[in-house]
Amino acid sequence: MSTSGLDSRGCRITGATSASLIAFERALAAFQNWRAGADAEVDIALHEAPDFVMAHVLRAWLFLCSRDPQRVRLARPLFAIAAGLPSTLREQRHLTAIAAVLGDDYEGAKSALGALLKLHPRDVLALQVAHALDHVTGDLAAMRERVSAALPHWSYSMPGYHAVLAMHAFALEECGEYGRAEDAAHAALNANALNARAHHALAHVFEMTDRFDEGVQWLNGHVDAWGKDTVVATHCQWHLALFHLARGECDAALALYDRHMGAGQSSDIADLIDGAALLWRVGLAGGDPGARWVELAQAWAPRIDDGFCSFNDLHAALAFVGARDWDSARRLEQSLARAQQLPTRHGETTRQLGLASCRAMIAFGAGNDALAITLLASLPLMAHRLGGSHAQRDVLHLTLQRAIDRMRRPARRLHRVGPATMPGAPEALA
């Protein structure tokens, strides 16, 4: 029998049963901690109570907090079901935000969730989703301010407080407050040592403060907390590989790629992004990814016309250039040239950043350093609008540095690379 009631943070819910609410709370906890299993638990909740509005809402957000347009589209029927059910004003505001994301209006969704959080600062699902959308849209100030505004309404006695602290840690890190970020991440882990989000925030702190040895030690020492049954396992392996690269250990970085990001490991868009970013950096560091590029480019090829996320487009360009797959690179460039004309979110970011950044990587791979420098130098003031983290967007800065270095030292370049392209790697990455 479904009833109205309160969740464990005091927010009113409709359509739930006692059993479904227990499953919902387990699903929400998994989502908060970036652990696997949220999908299965929300399925249980909806089986127990098909009219449980927030279970439909959570299921929709699990799909919508993604850079994969195929996953995003899966939320539409869930929204249609939930929109036809009796609901509270808070639940209706979640649905308004969901409708906005489905309509490609991410700013509208953030506004709706912001209004919700002013009335219900302990709605941790709204906070987590708004935090994710701030990240995807590169809105660093909002990411920090949103969590900071909610924190006074939370305490250690409330379930999920550790997740709020972990969000706070990441927002502080992205805004350059590394000491406070590290303290917040440790506070989150003191409350829940299995919070993969907090381990991830620490990895970013170590990266941005050049503490690469500590990064290797921390991630290796806590792999059981972040590396098993989490949604961030591959991404944290990416961070570990970056630490090895910073120590000059290209072979160790490539070994991590082969175990966690290579052919047959995953077709998830986040893992493809990590794979492209890692191989590109390996090339910049003087390593040779070899045939790995070809396999990765093949995985990216079906996404050329996604028309969804400029951050994705940039990493697709890295893969195609790395593989010397100029046909796919040109197809991507042509697709983005069309997309920039569209009055959409992707159209706007393509006009501002996406097309120029992809053209820069193509020029770099073709050895046209002057064009690459011109294009990349125009990006930094708004590069954050690509979304992603500072550590991820560093690929733009590192490529610009290498292009400048090649322009300044052409004789060194010819000595190292010679007249022919190195097999398996772009000339630019040698």
Side-chain angles (χ1 to χ4, degrees), residues 159-315:
Y161 180 53
H162 54 87
V164 180
L165 288 173
M167 284 184 255
H168 188 47
F170 183 71
L172 289 170
E173 177 275 322
E174 287 297 287
C175 290
E177 299 185 51
Y178 302 126
R180 292 183 63 204
E182 189 167 359
D183 290 343
H186 282 299
L189 291 172
N190 286 337
N192 184 345
L194 294 178
N195 189 314
R197 182 195 295 268
H199 289 288
H200 171 253
L202 279 175
H204 275 273
V205 170
F206 294 139
E207 171 72 20
M208 300 306 293
T209 55
D210 297 333
R211 292 153 61 191
F212 309 122
D213 291 339
E214 285 184 68
V216 170
Q217 293 167 7
W218 181 271
L219 289 179
N220 282 332
H222 297 84
V223 66
D224 287 344
W226 59 261
K228 296 180 180 179
D229 298 323
T230 74
V231 300
V232 76
T234 299
H235 186 61
C236 282
Q237 294 289 353
W238 178 80
H239 278 283
L240 183 57
L242 294 195
F243 296 143
H244 283 295
L245 276 180
R247 302 199 310 186
E249 299 163 357
C250 283
D251 288 345
L254 285 173
L256 289 169
Y257 175 90
D258 291 338
R259 286 200 297 271
H260 303 287
M261 292 161 253
Q265 295 293 337
S266 171
S267 61
D268 186 87
I269 194 74
D271 297 340
L272 295 180
I273 288 169
D274 285 338
L278 178 54
L279 292 188
W280 190 268
R281 287 173 183 242
V282 166
L284 291 176
D288 181 7
R292 296 175 183 87
W293 274 125
V294 176
E295 297 167 342
L296 185 61
Q298 290 171 348
W300 272 106
R303 297 184 174 276
I304 287 175
D305 295 314
D306 273 1
F308 184 72
C309 177
S310 293
F311 191 73
N312 297 3
D313 298 333
L314 170 62
H315 289 83

Side-chain angles (χ1 to χ4, degrees), residues 144-160:
R144 179 179 59 184
E145 292 163 8
R146 198 184 304 278
V147 183
S148 295
L151 267 173
H153 302 275
W154 285 79
S155 70
Y156 278 102
S157 64
M158 297 177 185

Side-chain angles (χ1 to χ4, degrees), residues 13-263:
I13 54 173
T14 54
T17 65
S18 296
S20 68
L21 182 55
I22 291 171
F24 171 81
E25 293 288 356
R26 288 196 299 259
L28 185 57
F31 189 41
Q32 290 174 307
N33 289 313
W34 284 1
R35 307 204 72 81
D39 289 337
E41 292 293 347
V42 80
D43 283 346
I44 294 171
L46 288 171
H47 177 76
E48 291 287 336
D51 294 341
F52 187 176
V53 174
M54 285 306 296
H56 287 290
V57 165
L58 174 55
R59 168 60 97 181
W61 283 131
L62 290 173
F63 289 131
L64 292 170
C65 290
S66 172
R67 285 192 174 93
D68 187 340
Q70 297 173 18
R71 282 187 59 82
V72 168
R73 285 193 289 269
L74 294 175
R76 194 170 296 279
L78 295 164
F79 167 74
I81 294 170
L85 296 173
S87 56
T88 66
L89 181 59
R90 179 182 72 92
E91 293 165 340
Q92 290 166 18
R93 285 181 168 165
H94 268 285
L95 293 172
T96 297
I98 289 171
V101 173
L102 288 171
D104 203 37
D105 180 9
Y106 280 41
E107 295 303 320
K110 288 159 57 178
S111 177
L113 291 168
L116 188 163
L117 285 164
K118 287 181 180 179
L119 296 175
H120 303 279
R122 290 193 295 274
D123 186 333
V124 73
L125 179 57
L127 183 61
Q128 177 163 337
V129 171
H131 180 78
L133 295 179
D134 290 336
H135 178 56
V136 166
T137 57
D139 195 344
L140 303 183
M143 186 164 60
R144 179 179 59 184
E145 292 163 8
R146 198 184 304 278
V147 183
S148 295
L151 267 173
H153 302 275
W154 285 79
S155 70
Y156 278 102
S157 64
M158 297 177 185
Y161 180 53
H162 54 87
V164 180
L165 288 173
M167 284 184 255
H168 188 47
F170 183 71
L172 289 170
E173 177 275 322
E174 287 297 287
C175 290
E177 299 185 51
Y178 302 126
R180 292 183 63 204
E182 189 167 359
D183 290 343
H186 282 299
L189 291 172
N190 286 337
N192 184 345
L194 294 178
N195 189 314
R197 182 195 295 268
H199 289 288
H200 171 253
L202 279 175
H204 275 273
V205 170
F206 294 139
E207 171 72 20
M208 300 306 293
T209 55
D210 297 333
R211 292 153 61 191
F212 309 122
D213 291 339
E214 285 184 68
V216 170
Q217 293 167 7
W218 181 271
L219 289 179
N220 282 332
H222 297 84
V223 66
D224 287 344
W226 59 261
K228 296 180 180 179
D229 298 323
T230 74
V231 300
V232 76
T234 299
H235 186 61
C236 282
Q237 294 289 353
W238 178 80
H239 278 283
L240 183 57
L242 294 195
F243 296 143
H244 283 295
L245 276 180
R247 302 199 310 186
E249 299 163 357
C250 283
D251 288 345
L254 285 173
L256 289 169
Y257 175 90
D258 291 338
R259 286 200 297 271
H260 303 287
M261 292 161 253

